Amino acid sequence: MSENNHPLLLVENLVISYGNIQAVRGISFEVREGEIVTLIGSNGAGKSSTLRGISGLIPYKGSISYRGRDLRGVDAAKIVGLGIAQVPEGRGIFGSLTVFENLKLATWQRKDKPEVNRDYERVFSIFPRLKERLNQLSGTLSGGEQQMLAVGRALMSRGQMMLLDEPSMGLAPVLVREIFRVLQEINQSGTTVLLVEQNANMALRVASRGYVLETGAITLSGTGSELLGNPQVMEAYLGG
Amino acid sequence: MDYILQQSLNALQLGSIYALIALGYTMVYGILTMINFAHGDLFMVGAFFCFIVATFLKLSFIPTLLISMIGVALLGVAIERVAYRPLRQAPRVSAVITALGVGILLESVMLVIFPYPQSVPTLLPNITWTIGGVTISLLQVIIICLSIGLMLLLDFIVRRTMVGMAMRAISWDKVIVPLMGVPLNLIISVTFALGTSLGAAAGVMYSQAFPVIDPYMGVLIGWKAFISAVVGGIGNIRGAMIGGFILGAVEIMVVAFFPSTYRDFVAFTLLLVLLIFRPYGILGQPRPQKV
Ligand SMILES: Nc1ncnc2c1ncn2[C@@H]1O[C@H](COP(=O)(O)OP(=O)(O)O)[C@@H](O)[C@H]1O
Ligand SMILES: [Mg+2]
């Protein structure tokens, strides 16, 4: 952990606009190696836009750097190669591809073939259901299974940092708990996590630190437990 | 009976050509949901490549075919890069109008270079076999086998390779594809290269079967191949192949039993009727609505 003094991901004065609409208004935050950091906020707060900026999918102002490297102008596919994997909002699985093809596609940037095979085994041990459904078209999976596949893909691309966009969305509580348990497990085995959620309660429980995003600006930040105990957060996101 | 067999053979030959061209329309539609209306003209450029290479370089069939396919593939990739890519976020209709414009440009440039129809040298020995009452020429055998071979190769690429997987992923949801580490633009270029090189192969074979070529030869054939792609289910690779063979068969059978002036009328009417019953084409599916 020689990099402990430098954040793995550093976002400074990030501004993202769609035409005249400013979705993200100059936010700054950091994620350190080994952390689970959560960005909570209600619908339309700018969470997905922030992740799209980090992954290089949309233009932005301000700066984003990963391991000290400025990501501006780096192609989105290359960013995956640098080690940032995103599990997108709504899972984004390719329904016309089989489960196995979805996983395999995510290894595009990898050159370490023998390790790829080991990672399949790892994904299957975390999500045995995916192994049972390897040759099934992924569009026919249930919502929970699709979310597992989306996380599995991110593991296959070997991100040292995983960005997750509302993984709990649309899932039954038992599945949400399962996904969050897996996230903690993945984090413990060395992957840094940036978790975007509306489900503030669950997110803050697993997070080391969190930021509250409101209409494109960060209004609060602190450790997971600080935010859980904060009356403002309680009122706005945890149902009083 | 012999007559039917003979006509079936002719249908297979014509259908192969339509199918090869139809693949180009369907592949581009599959990844960009855009109709590349310049594709028929790229088929024409393929025929002219054949003419130029065979006349001036005096090469034989296989090298001529390969050079034409590579040449047109490069042209197709360049067209996507220069004319279509800047419009990728624009309304689809802008891209379609641009494609029509590119097609007209290709025709006009070719017309400047070749103001008169040209005859393409024959590259294959004129061998025919007669089996029963059916006559088969070497050219027919080559057109049918080569087309089917190219289609099997394409099918293999799309279904079994990483590039093919990426192409199918793009056609499902191209926004997500870069998050898999897949370079979107590279895959789109590869798709154009594959689709246009198949069109060029069709152009070369067509110019051997009908050796007088002119810059407008791609217009009607392009429309027919496009309709084949729609009948098969636009965006569906196997559908395009099936659609091409169906159109070839329908046309030949119409000519076999009716005056030949009825050909396009009857063929198109049948296809339109088919689309009433299967609006997404034979293998097409309504696109899942994305939320
Ligand atoms: N593609 C887009 N075009 C225009 N506006 C957008 C687009 N995507 C998001 N927005 C707007 O940006 C704001 C933030 O959206 P988003 O980042 O998706 O928020 P969140 O993920 O927190 O729900 C919203 O007001 C939304 O309407
Ligand atoms: Mg969102």
Side-chain angles (χ1 to χ4, degrees):
Chain A
M1 294 283 165
S2 58
E3 293 186 328
N4 250 355
N5 296 321
H6 303 281
L8 187 61
L9 181 79
L10 180 62
V11 173
E12 290 174 300
N13 303 316
L14 182 70
V15 175
I16 293 175
S17 318
Y18 302 97
N20 295 325
I21 306 164
Q22 237 183 40
V24 176
R25 308 159 189 256
I27 64 172
S28 302
F29 64 94
E30 60 180 48
V31 182
R32 292 176 171 271
E33 191 141 23
E35 279 189 312
I36 298 183
V37 170
T38 183
L39 209 57
I40 56 176
S42 48
N43 209 2
K47 305 181 297 296
S48 298
S49 302
T50 303
L51 293 194
R52 273 182 226 132
I54 297 170
S55 284
L57 295 179
I58 43 171
Y60 56 84
K61 294 205 186 77
S63 92
I64 300 176
S65 61
Y66 176 70
R67 291 192 188 283
R69 174 173 175 172
D70 188 1
L71 292 185
R72 175 172 302 284
V74 182
D75 185 66
K78 190 74 194 305
I79 288 177
V80 177
L82 292 177
I84 301 183
Q86 185 182 149
V87 178
E89 185 172 56
R91 333 199 201 295
I93 62 140
F94 303 110
S96 58
L97 271 58
T98 65
V99 169
F100 179 69
E101 287 174 330
N102 268 275
L103 293 172
K104 186 163 183 200
L105 195 62
T107 66
W108 189 284
Q109 292 280 336
R110 296 183 58 175
K111 313 262 174 325
D112 50 340
K113 289 298 161 199
E115 310 224 347
V116 168
N117 288 329
R118 220 177 309 143
D119 283 347
Y120 283 124
E121 291 312 318
R122 176 171 174 228
V123 169
F124 299 150
S125 72
I126 299 175
F127 302 117
R129 291 235 231 145
L130 294 183
K131 186 167 192 177
E132 293 160 24
R133 288 165 172 70
L134 264 195
N135 296 312
Q136 191 173 324
L137 284 186
S138 58
T140 63
L141 296 176
S142 71
E145 290 161 351
Q146 292 192 357
Q147 190 59 265
M148 294 172 193
L149 179 55
V151 174
R153 276 192 322 199
L155 289 171
M156 288 313 297
S157 70
R158 254 262 157 126
Q160 283 97 55
M161 169 150 209
M162 197 183 285
L163 317 176
L164 295 109
D165 197 342
E166 300 201 38
S168 74
M169 200 208 297
L171 296 186
V174 56
L175 284 171
V176 174
R177 276 195 294 278
E178 165 77 6
I179 291 282
F180 276 74
R181 187 188 60 72
V182 166
L183 273 187
Q184 283 178 293
E185 200 180 302
I186 290 170
N187 173 250
Q188 265 142 33
S189 62
T191 306
T192 305
V193 172
L194 175 59
L195 171 66
V196 150
E197 265 298 347
Q198 284 194 62
N199 188 339
N201 190 15
M202 284 298 282
L204 290 172
R205 273 167 206 277
V206 299
S208 21
R209 291 185 303 111
Y211 297 86
V212 176
L213 193 61
E214 280 178 58
T215 54
I218 290 176
T219 51
L220 277 173
S221 65
T223 65
S225 41
E226 275 169 13
L227 289 174
L228 265 177
N230 183 305
Q232 274 172 276
V233 175
M234 286 282 278
E235 198 178 327
Y237 302 101
L238 305 173
Chain B
M1 187 61 204
D2 285 346
Y3 184 66
I4 304 249
L5 271 179
Q6 183 73 58
Q7 293 307 331
S8 305
L9 194 65
N10 296 343
L12 212 51
Q13 176 187 343
L14 188 60
S16 309
I17 304 237
Y18 287 148
L20 280 183
I21 308 171
L23 283 168
Y25 285 103
T26 228
M27 288 169 76
V28 168
Y29 184 86
I31 55 161
L32 294 181
T33 47
M34 161 202 164
I35 309 292
N36 177 16
F37 278 118
H39 189 62
D41 298 297
L42 286 160
F43 155 83
M44 174 274 291
V45 174
F48 272 91
F49 252 106
C50 175
F51 165 71
I52 293 166
V53 174
T55 308
F56 301 108
L57 303 181
K58 302 201 171 11
L59 295 180
S60 60
F61 181 70
I62 301 283
T64 303
L65 177 74
L66 290 177
I67 291 175
S68 305
M69 287 174 75
I70 293 167
V72 173
L74 293 176
L75 181 61
V77 169
I79 288 171
E80 188 275 325
R81 182 72 193 80
V82 174
Y84 303 159
R85 194 174 300 179
L87 294 172
R88 211 175 282 161
Q89 312 302 331
R92 293 295 74 187
V93 65
S94 314
V96 166
I97 289 173
T98 304
L100 285 168
V102 169
I104 293 170
L105 181 73
L106 290 174
E107 290 161 17
S108 318
V109 169
M110 221 40 124
L111 199 63
V112 170
I113 309 175
F114 302 106
Y116 308 106
Q118 304 290 328
S119 339
V120 182
T122 305
L123 295 172
L124 292 164
N126 188 11
I127 303 172
T128 56
W129 298 275
T130 305
I131 303 161
V134 182
T135 307
I136 312 179
S137 69
L138 175 65
L139 179 63
Q140 269 179 323
V141 172
I142 287 185
I143 289 180
I144 294 167
C145 294
L146 193 60
S147 305
I148 291 175
L150 287 171
M151 286 184 241
L152 291 177
L153 181 65
L154 179 72
D155 203 69
F156 175 82
I157 292 173
V158 170
R159 274 164 201 272
R160 294 269 172 264
T161 68
M162 282 287 265
V163 169
M165 226 179 262
M167 287 164 60
R168 286 182 285 133
I170 291 174
S171 101
W172 184 268
D173 187 345
K174 69 167 169 294
V175 177
I176 302 295
V177 164
L179 294 179
M180 302 296 110
V182 176
L184 184 67
N185 287 329
L186 176 70
I187 304 297
I188 289 174
S189 294
V190 170
T191 307
F192 268 84
L194 287 173
T196 53
S197 63
L198 293 181
V204 171
M205 292 190 268
Y206 188 87
S207 74
Q208 289 297 300
F210 307 95
V212 178
I213 62 172
D214 71 81
Y216 295 112
M217 66 185 279
V219 178
L220 185 59
I221 293 177
W223 278 109
K224 288 180 175 178
F226 167 59
I227 287 170
S228 305
V230 172
V231 163
I234 188 105
N236 185 300
I237 299 236
R238 289 186 177 174
M241 301 180 195
I242 294 173
F245 284 112
I246 289 180
L247 183 62
V250 169
E251 284 198 354
I252 296 283
M253 293 308 157
V254 171
V255 179
F257 300 107
F258 298 99
S260 66
T261 46
Y262 285 28
R263 185 188 66 190
D264 292 349
F265 167 68
V266 177
F268 283 107
T269 308
L270 274 176
L271 297 177
L272 291 177
V273 170
L274 190 145
L275 283 180
I276 291 173
F277 291 105
R278 294 213 45 111
Y280 296 98
I282 294 168
L283 295 184
Q285 305 271 325
R287 294 218 129 206
Q289 210 63 43
K290 251 185 273 145
V291 273

